[in-house]
């Protein structure tokens, strides 16, 4: 009577790698396809003077007023195009970077216009910015 | 019969299962973190703005969509309620320590942004930040 006994301690020698690699590749492909690169954000800082500061504001010399209307911009009450505005801001910044700017946005103007002006100010490193709203 | 300890092969399968679970958990958690930006909002471009690198946990992100609806973290609210939220944050952390970021859609009219800024001023926050996209990915 031949008795063949398997040793109970013997386990399969190797782990089957092929299905695991298949799954890993599936996961990899899934994530590569679904991942969307995120945009880089910028935060543009402005101060919002309270109405009580109105008197104080009048005392700041050489205050530059930029108005934003739906139709376009004015620089110290003179209508200007975007390129002109950029040129004027760059000139103002070359004289004095601590120049105070009062940006007055009309209610009907779009938010992107305000961002465009703030972006120009950021470009020329003008930081003393106040935004007020007009009708 | 004494079995040597080294002979017992380690069972890899449950370990690999757990590792996969962890990987999937972290990938989805990271994804959720960036989902907090309302994907319906189209922010304006500001290529010269200072890119945001750090994240202050106290920052309040106020979203304003094209129709002027205000929301924080997907919760729609009125200006009065926004004021209450900001006021509470100011009381708790102080005026200087609560950064407010206004994320307005590029087509939002300034009138609606103004309402948010007015609520900020009423709550004693005189500095606000406007979010824009510095560089599109």
């Amino acid at each position: 009577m031949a008795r063949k006994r398997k040793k109970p301690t013997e386990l399969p020698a190797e782990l089957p790698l092929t299905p695991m690699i298949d799954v890993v590749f599936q996961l990899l492909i899934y994530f590569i396809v679904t991942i969307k690169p995120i945009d880089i954000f910028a935060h543009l800082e402005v101060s919002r003077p309270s109405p009580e500061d109105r008197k104080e504001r009048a005392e700041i010399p050489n205050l530059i007023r930029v108005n934003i209307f739906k139709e376009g911009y004015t620089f110290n009450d003179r209508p200007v195009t975007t390129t002109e505005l950029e040129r004027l801001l760059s000139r103002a910044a070359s004289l004095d970077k601590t120049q105070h700017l009062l940006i007055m946005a009309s209610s009907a103007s779009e938010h992107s216009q305000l961002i465009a002006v703030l972006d120009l100010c950021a470009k020329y490193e003008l930081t003393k910015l106040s935004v007020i709203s007009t009708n | 019969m004494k079995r040597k300890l080294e002979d017992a092969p380690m069972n890899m399968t449950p370990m690999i299962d757990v590792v996969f679970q962890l990987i999937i958990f972290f990938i989805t958690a990271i994804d959720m973190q960036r989902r907090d930006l309302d994907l319906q909002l189209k922010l304006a471009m500001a290529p010269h703005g200072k890119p945001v690198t750090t994240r202050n946990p106290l920052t309040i992100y106020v979203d304003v969509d094209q129709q002027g609806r205000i929301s924080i973290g997907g919760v729609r609210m009125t200006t009065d309620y926004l004021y209450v939220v900001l006021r509470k944050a100011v009381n708790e952390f102080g005026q200087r320590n609560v950064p407010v970021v206004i994320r307005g859609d590029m087509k939002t009219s300034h009138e609606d942004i103004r309402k948010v800024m007015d609520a900020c001023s009423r709550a004693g926050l005189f500095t606000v930040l406007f979010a824009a996209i510095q560089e599109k990915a």
Side-chain angles (χ1 to χ4, degrees), chain A residues 67 82 95 114 129 134:
Chain A
N67 276 72
T82 318
L95 292 172
L114 176 62
L129 311 173
T134 57

Side-chain angles (χ1 to χ4, degrees), chain A residues 80-111:
Chain A
V80 285
T81 62
T82 318
T83 40
E84 268 181 302
L85 181 69
E86 179 165 359
R87 195 172 49 78
L88 288 164
L89 285 177
S90 79
R91 205 166 62 189
S94 66
L95 292 172
D96 184 10
K97 284 213 191 331
T98 59
Q99 168 78 51
H100 282 266
L101 243 86
L102 185 62
I103 299 162
M104 294 185 272
S106 75
S107 295
S109 66
E110 267 179 19
H111 187 53

Side-chain angles (χ1 to χ4, degrees), chain B residues 72-134:
Chain B
I72 295 177
V75 181
R76 197 71 54 77
M77 56 183 67
T78 61
T79 40
D80 291 322
Y81 195 78
L82 174 68
Y83 164 72
V84 172
V85 170
L86 295 173
R87 185 79 235 171
K88 191 170 182 303
V90 167
N91 283 343
E92 209 157 319
F93 306 112
Q95 266 184 8
R96 304 244 161 259
N97 306 322
V98 185
V100 175
V101 176
I102 300 177
R103 290 194 291 214
D105 190 281
M106 53 196 283
K107 292 244 184 293
T108 311
S109 109
H110 181 72
E111 199 177 357
D112 301 314
I113 303 291
R114 173 196 198 163
K115 286 178 195 156
V116 177
M117 290 200 292
D118 285 346
C120 293
S121 321
R122 263 170 69 205
L125 298 161
F126 297 109
T127 312
V128 292
L129 298 138
F130 290 107
I133 294 172
Q134 203 250 343

Side-chain angles (χ1 to χ4, degrees), chain A residues 23-85:
Chain A
V23 169
V24 169
F25 277 168
Q26 290 287 342
L27 277 176
L28 200 70
I29 290 168
Y30 170 75
F31 285 117
I32 287 172
V33 169
T34 52
I35 252 170
K36 219 176 72 190
I38 35 171
D39 302 332
I40 300 170
F41 294 105
H43 288 168
L44 304 157
E45 187 170 347
V46 299
S47 75
R48 169 96 174 151
S50 64
E52 295 88 68
D53 290 350
R54 191 158 287 165
K55 239 189 296 159
E56 205 181 294
R57 203 159 60 222
E59 285 161 15
I60 300 170
N62 310 321
L63 185 72
I64 293 178
R65 293 183 312 278
V66 178
N67 276 72
I68 303 170
F69 298 105
K70 199 174 170 52
E71 300 79 24
Y73 308 105
T74 68
F75 185 90
N76 282 344
D77 301 327
R78 195 164 61 83
V80 285
T81 62
T82 318
T83 40
E84 268 181 302
L85 181 69

